[in-house]
Amino acid sequence: MSPSQALMPGESTEGFIANGYFWDLRADSLEQQALEPIRNQIEMRGERFTEQQILPEIVNRLSGIPEYVDMFNHAFPAEIISADNISQEHIAKALAAFQREIFSPNSRFDEFIAGNDAALTSQEITGLNKFINGGCARCHSGPLLADNVLREDQIVTNFEAVRTPSLRNISKTAPYMHLGDSSTLNNAIGLYEDRGDLQVTMEDDDVGDLAAFLRSLDSDNFYQEIPTRVPSGLKVGGEI
Ligand code: HEC
């Protein structure tokens, strides 16, 4: 099956390809993805360092903090890691390993798909039916509720072609759309009104049911803990 063929929720995922990270799919692996926010000026790099300088700088900083050197040793037991040999690769692998732990298989929607009809309320089931019959599942399909296809011909927000994003844990990941200009879930869903060009039928009255269904995709083990301290001693939290 090619990634552009939509899967309906619950349909077999065999052969389904969901690779490609970032809105334009520019990273092929989690390891490749992991270092990009550090390099990106508006995400983490800021203006003091160039794109070429920033990763060596981060390697230096981490190497200078004994607690991190210990943690890298613990994470890579087959190697002997000292302040002299922490590499960008170690950082990418460590971040990717952490990200692989963030998975969300235990939503009420998953229970429903597994056969527990009582897992969803009647409003959520109405929303699920609207999601399928209204055309949302054509793009938001498969286990991630995303076919991960770049939408070049059918642009959802009037800016650029972006890939279909996952809708798992969506109630916890505001703001929405790639510019973050939709601050609430209802507002994001509302953008689909009068979008017959996307082969979607959705009216104002449907927003509440669709939002109820999308909230059933929330998973209890979605990672939300923010540590109280980090080994660098930097202030944790900020604007996140
Ligand atoms: C033509 C494919 C397509 C269809 C059909 C579609 N979507 Fe989307 N959806 C996308 C793409 C692509 C984006 C990302 C747009 C952006 O970032 O600007 C998106 C974004 C979203 C988001 C915001 C996700 C986020 O993390 O920011 C929500 C919520 C959403 N869609 C819900 C729906 C609902 C509900 C329907 C049906 C009414 C629907 N979509 C139909 C492709 C589609």
Side-chain angles (χ1 to χ4, degrees):
M1 178 176 288
S2 86
S4 59
Q5 283 173 275
L7 283 170
M8 299 307 264
E11 209 175 307
S12 164
T13 55
E14 208 179 302
F16 184 70
I17 306 163
N19 270 338
Y21 299 92
F22 292 113
W23 60 273
D24 55 359
L25 302 177
R26 65 183 181 277
D28 291 330
S29 68
L30 266 186
E31 282 74 6
Q32 208 186 329
Q33 181 277 335
L35 297 180
E36 289 297 305
I38 300 174
R39 279 199 198 101
N40 188 302
Q41 189 198 334
I42 55 172
E43 286 186 65
M44 297 181 78
R45 170 163 64 87
E47 295 188 349
R48 275 180 54 209
F49 298 94
T50 65
E51 221 181 307
Q52 287 69 33
Q53 289 167 336
I54 191 65
L55 282 164
E57 170 68 19
I58 296 298
V59 167
N60 275 342
R61 287 189 195 179
L62 292 179
S63 306
I65 300 170
E67 199 176 335
Y68 271 125
V69 178
D70 284 352
M71 288 165 103
F72 275 107
N73 257 312
H74 191 69
F76 297 93
E79 300 175 43
I80 296 170
I81 297 184
S82 69
D84 298 328
N85 64 1
I86 291 180
S87 66
Q88 294 180 22
E89 202 187 338
H90 288 130
I91 298 173
K93 281 185 175 167
L95 288 170
F98 167 69
Q99 288 162 8
R100 285 197 177 89
E101 282 187 5
I102 308 173
F103 66 106
S104 302
N106 298 323
S107 69
R108 286 186 297 107
F109 171 68
D110 294 296
E111 282 178 41
F112 182 80
I113 291 296
N116 177 4
D117 290 350
L120 295 188
T121 65
S122 62
Q123 188 190 19
E124 289 163 352
I125 294 173
T126 305
L128 168 60
N129 286 327
K130 287 182 177 173
F131 190 81
I132 295 171
N133 300 331
C136 313
R138 189 167 65 83
C139 303
H140 293 284
S141 57
L144 292 174
L145 286 289
D147 58 10
N148 225 27
V149 169
L150 269 191
R151 296 285 156 193
E152 277 160 350
D153 46 345
Q154 302 167 70
I155 299 174
V156 179
T157 52
N158 300 315
F159 180 61
E160 275 190 62
V162 290
R163 62 125 185 221
T164 314
S166 173
L167 299 181
R168 286 196 176 262
N169 298 307
I170 190 79
S171 81
K172 296 169 180 167
T173 57
Y176 302 108
M177 303 301 175
H178 68 284
L179 290 177
D181 48 1
S182 271
S183 57
T184 66
L185 187 53
N186 283 22
N187 181 249
I189 297 170
L191 294 178
Y192 286 96
E193 208 180 329
D194 296 326
R195 292 303 303 267
D197 56 323
L198 299 176
Q199 298 165 46
V200 165
T201 43
M202 214 269 317
E203 290 175 11
D204 203 26
D205 289 352
D206 300 327
V207 171
D209 295 334
L210 286 166
F213 160 62
L214 292 183
R215 289 202 172 85
S216 78
L217 293 162
D218 285 352
S219 175
D220 285 349
N221 67 352
F222 180 64
Y223 189 82
Q224 292 177 86
E225 275 172 47
I226 297 175
T228 51
R229 70 171 283 278
V230 286
S232 64
L234 289 170
K235 189 168 165 274
V236 181
E239 295 292 306
I240 55 176

